[in-house]
């Protein structure tokens, strides 16, 4: 299949590109390079440096490359930033997707796999989170993605041959096991990269955001899914999409690790006893989030394989150690 990967120069998108190429698909990357990296796109893969809101240019790309399916990763993805700049999130994430869908309609492309998020669930009362858990986002980032889920349903209702899958990711972590690509965010706020930056001495200490949560060790619990498993899921879901399909799946490992457990794993993997202090809670952090990902297993046979937090951290460490300045490393 010929697949357009939006955001293919970003962290998750670049791992999806690698997986699609390995499966023999033809790939075109579309990325405005706002936070993506040209260096993350493999040689020989066309990179169209276009913003999704430029509908004419996106339409031309879809037509020119005779695209069969879109994998749509391009988005802003910082919860805190979304609270400060809500309009930017609605414009990029929701508006950008409307631009993309308009272009798809014009170009006659009717299949899309969309990056949604567990942030669409907000702070559910019951764990684990299933696809039926009510979606009540608590920040603009979550809303910007939930609006897209709604828009996809409406587009599918208007066009019987349009098909989509919305994949609700939990905490994506790790890097390609072969060390070829990895995570390079500026600013970096996610737990595992922050820990590895501390191990590298790039930040002086790590702050645990709250240790008075109603969890076994008092720190927040999250479901860390390896980026390679996530990429596998995308390829499997894409292959399964038939005209008229509307699919929603949680992607997680189905259990949680506390912040303390992840810190212990990072210290063990890196061999560095970096400084850790405890600070106040970070506003908007739910105590516990983990997935029930049985639906995608039942329907398509996908299940996370790289579920050992030490191994997940180890793959991320391999990348960080060899690329202390991300893609700008020599
Ligand atoms: N944490 C710390 N110290 C840090 C960084 C993080 O204690 O320096 C804690 C956080 O409080 C949280 C956990 O580590 O409990 C994980 O935090 P991340 O920032 O790595 O990830 P989040 O759980 O906040 O965010 C993830 C995804 C988002 C998604 C969100 C939904 O990255 O895209 O879950 O809640 F929207």
């Amino acid at each position: 299949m010929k697949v357009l990967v939006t955001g293919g120069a970003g962290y998750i998108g670049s791992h999806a590109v690698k997986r699609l190429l390995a499966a023999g698909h033809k790939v075109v990357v579309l990325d405005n390079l706002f936070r993506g990296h040209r260096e993350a796109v493999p040689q020989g893969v066309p990179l169209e440096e276009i913003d999704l809101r430029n509908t004419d240019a996106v339409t031309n790309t879809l037509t020119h490359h005779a695209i069969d399916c879109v994998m749509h990763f391009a988005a802003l993805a910082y919860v805190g930033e979304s609270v400060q700049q809500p309009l930017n999130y609605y414009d990029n994430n929701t508006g950008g997707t409307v631009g993309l869908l308009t272009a798809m309609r014009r170009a006659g492309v009717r299949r899309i796999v969309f990056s949604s998020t567990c942030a669409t669930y907000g702070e559910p009362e019951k764990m684990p989170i299933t696809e039926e858990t009510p979606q009540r986002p608590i920040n603009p980032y979550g809303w910007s993605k939930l609006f897209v889920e709604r828009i996809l349903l409406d587009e599918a209702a208007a066009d019987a041959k349009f098909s989509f899958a919305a994949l609700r990711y939990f905490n994506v972590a790790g890097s390609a096991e072969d060390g070829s690509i990895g995570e390079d965010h500026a600013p970096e706020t996610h737990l595992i990269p922050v820990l590895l930056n501390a191990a590298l001495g790039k930040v002086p200490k790590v702050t645990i955001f709250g240790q008075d949560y109603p969890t076994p060790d008092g720190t927040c619990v999250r479901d860390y899914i390896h980026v390679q498993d996530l990429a596998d899921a995308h390829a499997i879901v894409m292959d399964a999409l038939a005209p008229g399909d509307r699919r929603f799946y949680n992607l997680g490992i189905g259990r949680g690790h506390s912040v303390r457990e992840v810190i212990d794993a990072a210290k063990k993997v890196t061999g560095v006893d970096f400084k850790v202090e405890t600070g106040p809670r970070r506003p908007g952090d739910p105590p516990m989030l983990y997935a029930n990902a049985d639906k995608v297993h039942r329907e398509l046979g996908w299940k996370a394989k790289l579920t050992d937090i030490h191994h997940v951290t180890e793959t991320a460490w391999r990348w960080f150690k060899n690329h202390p300045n991300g893609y700008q490393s020599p």
Side-chain angles (χ1 to χ4, degrees):
M1 225 179 306
K2 196 132 191 218
V3 188
L4 183 76
V5 180
T6 77
Y11 168 48
I12 302 174
S14 60
H15 285 81
V17 167
K18 186 173 164 62
R19 174 65 174 76
L20 290 170
L21 292 173
H25 295 291
K26 294 242 175 334
V27 175
V28 176
V29 168
L30 186 148
D31 201 302
N32 66 6
L33 297 181
F34 175 58
R35 286 191 171 138
H37 305 277
R38 191 181 299 280
E39 301 78 6
V41 180
Q43 294 233 323
V45 171
L47 167 62
E48 300 283 1
E49 200 179 327
I50 293 170
D51 191 285
L52 285 176
R53 292 160 292 188
N54 185 348
T55 310
D56 288 344
V58 179
T59 308
N60 288 340
T61 301
L62 291 166
T63 309
H64 174 72
H65 292 285
I67 296 297
D68 302 304
C69 177
V70 174
M71 275 196 191
H72 177 30
F73 297 93
L76 299 176
Y78 292 116
V79 170
E81 185 180 70
S82 80
V83 176
Q84 305 299 323
Q85 306 168 20
L87 299 181
N88 225 354
Y89 274 68
Y90 292 124
D91 184 19
N92 267 277
N93 296 2
T94 315
T97 308
V98 171
L100 172 64
L101 291 169
T102 304
M104 287 172 64
R105 198 177 248 261
R106 287 191 194 156
V109 178
R110 294 163 128 168
R111 193 193 310 219
I112 181 167
V113 180
F114 168 62
S115 297
S116 190
T117 168
C118 69
T120 59
Y121 293 113
E123 289 191 46
E125 279 148 29
K126 272 205 321 213
M127 285 302 128
I129 295 171
T130 72
E131 287 81 357
E132 276 65 53
T133 297
Q135 288 174 291
R136 299 190 191 108
I138 55 167
N139 50 58
Y141 170 63
W143 278 112
S144 74
K145 293 282 186 169
L146 184 55
F147 288 146
V148 172
E149 290 196 5
R150 180 69 244 172
I151 290 165
L152 289 169
L153 276 170
D154 290 342
E155 183 62 357
D159 175 359
K161 289 201 175 143
F162 181 83
S163 63
F164 75 87
L167 306 181
R168 299 175 186 151
Y169 314 157
F170 283 67
N171 287 57
V172 187
S175 297
E177 285 179 299
D178 66 6
S180 58
I181 47 176
E183 194 164 5
D184 180 0
H185 289 132
E188 188 51 84
T189 60
H190 290 124
L191 180 62
I192 293 176
V194 166
L195 302 177
L196 300 181
N197 279 332
L200 286 172
K202 288 179 70 182
V203 294
K205 60 178 189 297
V206 172
T207 306
I208 298 178
F209 298 143
Q211 60 170 0
D212 56 350
Y213 282 99
T215 57
D217 67 14
T219 65
C220 287
V221 170
R222 296 287 183 272
D223 182 328
Y224 294 90
I225 172 170
H226 195 278
V227 66
Q228 239 171 238
D229 277 333
L230 196 79
D232 281 349
H234 281 73
I236 291 167
V237 169
M238 181 184 82
D239 286 346
L241 270 188
D245 270 3
R246 309 155 184 202
R247 295 173 184 256
F248 296 91
Y249 296 118
N250 284 343
L251 295 180
I253 70 167
R255 63 194 159 81
H257 290 98
S258 73
V259 172
R260 277 205 189 283
E261 282 175 314
V262 180
I263 290 174
D264 289 347
K267 286 192 172 183
K268 194 159 176 213
V269 163
T270 61
V272 181
D273 188 18
F274 49 83
K275 190 169 171 215
V276 177
E277 65 174 23
T278 304
R281 292 183 179 195
R282 185 171 68 177
D285 271 345
M288 200 181 272
L289 293 173
Y290 61 93
N292 174 322
D294 291 351
K295 188 178 174 209
V296 62
H297 185 231
R298 203 170 50 243
E299 294 188 5
L300 301 178
W302 176 88
K303 200 171 187 300
K305 294 187 197 110
L306 308 177
T307 57
D308 173 24
I309 194 68
H310 289 88
H311 181 67
V312 171
T313 310
E314 214 273 319
T315 64
W317 179 232
R318 206 170 297 162
W319 164 261
F320 269 76
K321 218 174 25 182
N322 293 329
H323 304 83
N325 294 311
Y327 284 101
Q328 297 317 314
S329 306

